[in-house]
Amino acid sequence: SSDRLLVTFLDSDEGRRRLLEVSPIRPATVEGFCKKLRCASCGMASISLVMRAQTGDQVTYAEDFIYDRLSDIKPLADLDQRGMTADDVAACLLRLGAASSVRRPGSADELRDLALTRLAQESSSIIANFHLKSLGFPSEWGHLSPVAAYHRDSDSLLIMDNDPKPNDPFWVTMQDLYESMRPADPESGLPRGLILAEF
């Protein structure tokens, strides 16, 4: 884990500069961004955002409306206590009609290849699953948030951080994001990674 924050917030001069230079970018993911509603629901908030971005349906896929449809996959008691694993998120996306899979990259290069391939496809969405403390945040929890853009010069991805605390979306380098995915999720016993969704 890091003692310093390894991210560049979007709401900074450098963060805004990168946004003007990016390609590819997912405008609907940026424009539809909102914070999560529940303390342990970063997975549900991420599902809601990618479904709304892909379908344009802001009502059916609002975070509070999708809980009931997915409660047999992740009961609310479990969700509030332990959050969601990458595999939980993939199963929920599948239930909602997206072809989904979890990829656990073996290197920053593999992470880059996966992210760039999916960001270039309009019918694809990406949710990153990573360990917060590994990026310097004061939390031992894992986290899930959609990926919206890639900035080539800094080799960084834009993570639409849905945490209700005062964190903004942020840029993180491929190497730092990869390192933050390596610690095993205590719920699954597996490393974290990317949830890839096809619509």
Side-chain angles (χ1 to χ4, degrees), residues 102-134:
V102 178
R103 298 292 297 273
R104 295 176 171 90
S107 68
D109 289 338
E110 185 181 350
L111 173 61
R112 182 182 307 103
D113 290 344
L114 285 167
L116 289 181
T117 298
R118 297 308 175 110
L119 282 170
Q121 299 170 357
E122 287 295 319
S123 61
S124 295
S125 290
I126 308 168
I127 297 172
N129 182 208
F130 52 94
H131 185 240
L132 286 165
K133 192 164 188 178
S134 298

Side-chain angles (χ1 to χ4, degrees), residues 123-190:
S123 61
S124 295
S125 290
I126 308 168
I127 297 172
N129 182 208
F130 52 94
H131 185 240
L132 286 165
K133 192 164 188 178
S134 298
L135 294 179
F137 290 103
S139 173
E140 295 291 344
W141 288 91
H143 196 42
L144 292 141
S145 282
V147 177
Y150 174 68
H151 184 255
R152 191 170 305 279
D153 288 352
S154 61
D155 193 30
S156 60
L157 290 172
L158 177 58
I159 306 294
M160 302 306 292
D161 185 7
N162 55 41
D163 196 301
K165 299 181 181 66
N167 295 340
D168 291 313
F170 59 80
W171 297 95
V172 59
T173 67
M174 289 291 180
Q175 187 62 47
D176 288 335
L177 184 59
Y178 168 67
E179 294 296 337
S180 75
M181 291 176 169
R182 294 180 66 192
D185 184 326
E187 286 292 303
S188 69
L190 297 170

